[in-house]
């Protein structure tokens, strides 16, 4: 017993000495959102998403390359009698050196995968699935960016299905021109207990865009045009082959001061992308966003977005306001 106690004490002292040489750092994140979706005319799901997320993190910066963080991300939806509707753990390791960035654990999705087109990964994930649970590897330099990731969305049990997402995205830019790609695949397996008539499903999508960035050639802060294609992949194993609908994407983005306009046009076959925006089930769809950033100060950003969805001969509308606050700090332990 005495040897065991001495061993524990030695371990604690060793750990304390290691920690003393590190930087303790933390962050505090706040995401408040109001998203009113008037989708009744097109038969989509109309709803109002209104709530707040609180996400503190605490960890160690071991050196200039290695970092570990722990924390949580708590959601409260306004009008709910519960103090919090859901709490997601945040626990991850990060490796950052030169042009390489690697994450493993449960880490925030924001600014890592939020550049994906809505057709492939819907923006609703930002409200209800703020973390990636898995791994992400990113390489980025002045002209080139590539990201590879996996997100485990359900662990297999006797009754729960096993499913996970994995994807690849990147961009290459030279001069005024750029080419970008975004790919995602959902693997949806069955539960541990075999169910008659149940089958493994695969569901994914690929978007490729070629464009021109004229931001530095005009008085505008941002001006880009792009054209490309969208293809989805879907199959139910042992039942049928791959279904691969496809179509054309045309996008325009302009921003001046705190005001912006984004227009996305799709024409082709309808898609059933499980984690994508449901408007792309239609053959022709146009979305126009008018944005304004009334709050833009240091670590605080608030953005108002008025969206118009032209689809199936009708016009649905959407009004969203989101505010993000993020503060970081560190202290050397001596």
């Amino acid at each position: 017993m005495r040897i065991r106690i001495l061993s524990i004490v030695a371990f604690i002292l060793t750990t304390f000495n290691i920690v003393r040489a590190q930087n303790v750092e933390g962050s505090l994140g706040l995401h408040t959102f109001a998203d009113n979706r008037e989708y009744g005319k097109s038969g989509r799901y109309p709803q109002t998403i209104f709530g707040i997320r609180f996400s503190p993190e605490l960890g160690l910066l071991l050196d200039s390359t290695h970092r570990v963080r722990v924390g949580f991300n708590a959601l409260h939806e306004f009008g709910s009698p519960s103090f919090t509707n859901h709490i997601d753990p945040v626990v991850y390791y990060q490796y950052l050196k030169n042009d390489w960035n690697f994450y493993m654990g449960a880490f925030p999705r924001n600014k890592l995968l939020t550049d994906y087109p809505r057709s492939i990964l819907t923006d609703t994930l930002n409200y209800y699935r703020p973390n990636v649970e898995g791994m992400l590897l990113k390489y980025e330099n002045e002209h080139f960016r590539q990201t590879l990731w996996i997100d485990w969305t359900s662990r297999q049990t006797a009754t729960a299905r096993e499913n996970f997402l994995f994807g690849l995205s990147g961009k290459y830019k030279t001069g005024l021109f750029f080419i970008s790609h975004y790919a995602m695949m959902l693997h949806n397996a069955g539960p541990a207990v075999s169910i008659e008539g149940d089958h493994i499903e695969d569901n994914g999508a690929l978007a490729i865009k070629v464009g021109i960035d004229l931001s530095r050639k005009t008085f505008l802060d941002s001006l880009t045009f792009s054209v490309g294609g969208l293809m989805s992949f879907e199959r139910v194993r042992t039942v049928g082959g791959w279904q691969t609908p496809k179509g054309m994407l045309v996008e325009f983005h302009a921003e001046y001061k705190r005001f912006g306009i984004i227009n996305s046009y799709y024409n082709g076959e309808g898609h059933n992308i499980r984690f994508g925006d449901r408007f792309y089930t239609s053959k022709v769809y146009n979305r126009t966003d008018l944005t304004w950033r009334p709050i833009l100060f240091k670590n605080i950003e608030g953005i108002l977005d008025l969206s118009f969805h032209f689809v199936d001969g009708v016009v649905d509308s959407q009004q969203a306001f989101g505010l993000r606050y993020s503060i970081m700090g560190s202290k050397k332990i001596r």
Side-chain angles (χ1 to χ4, degrees):
M1 177 65 70
R2 182 178 298 176
I3 295 176
R4 181 177 298 177
I5 293 175
L6 290 175
S7 298
I8 293 174
V9 172
F11 173 77
I12 293 174
L13 291 175
T14 301
T15 303
F16 178 73
N17 287 330
I18 293 174
V19 171
R20 286 183 62 190
Q22 317 305 324
N23 281 332
V24 174
E25 59 177 13
S27 65
L28 179 62
L30 195 68
H31 182 204
T32 306
F33 46 85
D35 192 339
N36 182 46
R37 302 181 172 188
E38 301 288 350
Y39 294 172
K41 293 181 181 179
S42 68
R44 269 67 178 182
Y45 179 51
Q47 60 177 319
T48 299
I49 304 172
F50 200 10
I52 185 171
R53 278 195 173 275
F54 175 65
S55 53
E57 295 182 21
L58 184 67
L60 295 176
L61 180 62
L62 305 179
D63 54 27
S64 61
T65 301
H66 306 276
R67 145 185 297 122
V68 291
R69 286 284 188 94
V70 296
F72 62 88
N73 194 310
L75 167 68
H76 173 73
E77 293 190 87
F78 298 153
S80 171
S82 302
F83 177 77
T84 179
N85 298 96
H86 191 76
I87 297 178
D88 294 286
V90 176
V91 184
Y92 64 92
Y93 162 81
Q94 181 186 10
Y95 173 93
L96 178 62
K97 188 173 183 180
N98 297 330
D99 300 326
W100 292 95
N101 200 348
F102 172 72
Y103 290 82
M104 186 171 184
F107 49 91
R109 169 189 305 276
N110 186 41
K111 296 183 180 179
L112 291 175
L113 295 180
T114 44
D115 64 327
Y116 262 74
R118 296 184 186 92
S119 57
I120 299 180
L121 292 178
T122 175
D123 53 5
T124 309
L125 295 172
N126 298 326
Y127 302 135
Y128 293 113
R129 189 170 175 80
N131 293 339
V132 174
E133 298 184 12
M135 295 183 289
L136 182 144
L137 177 64
K138 181 178 181 180
Y139 177 83
E140 183 173 15
N141 59 34
E142 183 181 358
H143 299 288
F144 179 77
R145 182 183 75 243
Q146 192 69 43
T147 303
L148 176 66
W149 56 275
I150 182 169
D151 185 7
W152 211 270
T153 52
S154 178
R155 175 183 176 273
Q156 187 182 61
T157 67
T159 56
R161 303 180 71 91
E162 175 188 271
N163 56 59
F164 58 87
L165 301 167
F166 61 94
L168 181 71
S169 66
K171 184 176 182 178
Y172 174 73
K173 182 178 179 180
T174 176
L176 301 178
F177 301 96
F178 66 87
I179 180 171
S180 59
H181 67 89
Y182 305 88
M184 178 278 297
M185 179 66 74
L186 165 67
H187 177 75
N188 187 24
V193 177
S194 178
I195 301 175
E196 184 177 356
D198 186 68
H199 303 277
I200 297 174
E201 301 175 355
D202 297 298
N203 183 284
L206 167 67
I208 298 177
K209 298 187 291 184
V210 178
I212 183 170
D213 186 346
L214 299 174
S215 302
R216 298 181 180 180
K217 300 297 182 180
T218 70
F219 68 94
L220 298 173
D221 297 321
S222 174
L223 179 62
T224 60
F225 301 88
S226 68
V227 61
L230 173 67
M231 176 184 290
S232 60
F233 310 88
E234 182 180 22
R235 69 170 175 173
V236 179
R237 296 190 187 183
T238 71
V239 174
W242 286 99
Q243 303 296 316
T244 58
K246 55 189 73 68
M248 178 183 67
L249 290 169
V250 180
E251 296 182 351
F252 161 79
H253 175 224
E255 191 165 355
Y256 179 69
K257 301 296 183 183
R258 299 189 179 194
F259 297 90
I261 179 171
I262 305 170
N263 196 85
S264 303
Y265 173 77
Y266 173 77
N267 193 315
E269 300 172 280
H271 299 269
N272 179 35
I273 304 172
R274 196 72 57 86
F275 277 78
D277 195 313
R278 302 311 296 171
F279 280 104
Y280 288 86
T281 58
S282 294
K283 295 181 179 181
V284 180
Y285 167 55
N286 189 88
R287 172 172 177 155
T288 302
D289 290 271
L290 305 177
T291 64
W292 175 43
R293 302 176 192 270
I295 302 174
L296 193 61
F297 179 75
K298 293 184 178 179
N299 299 316
I300 304 177
E301 181 184 34
I303 182 169
L304 175 67
D305 190 347
L306 303 180
S307 305
F308 301 92
H309 307 268
F310 303 86
V311 63
D312 300 337
V314 299
V315 182
D316 281 343
S317 63
Q318 178 181 0
Q319 308 85 39
F321 180 77
L323 186 146
R324 284 188 182 272
Y325 171 76
S326 179
I327 185 172
M328 298 184 64
S330 64
K331 183 178 181 180
K332 181 75 173 181
I333 296 182
R334 301 184 182 278

